[in-house]
Amino acid sequence: MKRIISSLYYFFTVLTIVIYVNSVQVYAQEKDFKPGIIIQADNVDIGRDKQYTVPCIVDWDEDGKKDLLVGCFYNGYIYYYRNIGENDEPVFNSGDLLQEDGSVLTVAYG
């Protein structure tokens, strides 16, 4: 029984070392990151004047084009930017606060 436990211990030790070495090799490889872009609406940077923004891409108006929703952590507002371009080259309108039945929607913040 001790021989089996010893063999299993040896096997799992070697397996752990192999996994660790392979993980280090994968993480050591250079990553090919593309440069970031600044998203604009009507030639104005989105989110620069709003603190802690969180973008979400979704076809909000169901027209087949991906729109942009931007949540603002600071005040709980959600800004809606309609894509008036195409999916491969989006162009966003100036943006409005997201509303329902004429009332501005907010989410919990802070």
Side-chain angles (χ1 to χ4, degrees), residues 42-77:
D42 285 344
N43 297 318
V44 176
D45 297 351
I46 294 176
R48 292 264 175 141
D49 60 336
K50 299 166 186 64
Q51 295 181 2
Y52 306 109
T53 55
V54 179
C56 178
I57 296 175
V58 63
D59 182 9
W60 188 256
D61 57 4
E62 298 179 340
D63 65 353
K65 300 176 188 176
K66 294 180 181 171
D67 306 307
L68 180 65
L69 296 178
V70 178
C72 187
F73 179 78
Y74 179 71
N75 56 19
Y77 292 149

Side-chain angles (χ1 to χ4, degrees), residues 50 60 69-72 75-81 93-100 102-106:
K50 299 166 186 64
W60 188 256
L69 296 178
V70 178
C72 187
N75 56 19
Y77 292 149
I78 303 169
Y79 295 86
Y80 167 57
Y81 298 90
N93 71 352
S94 59
D96 294 306
L97 289 171
L98 197 60
Q99 297 185 15
E100 181 180 30
S103 297
V104 174
L105 291 176
T106 60

Side-chain angles (χ1 to χ4, degrees), residues 11-24:
F11 171 76
F12 284 112
T13 301
V14 170
L15 181 63
T16 301
I17 291 170
V18 168
I19 291 172
Y20 175 76
V21 169
N22 285 335
S23 297
V24 169

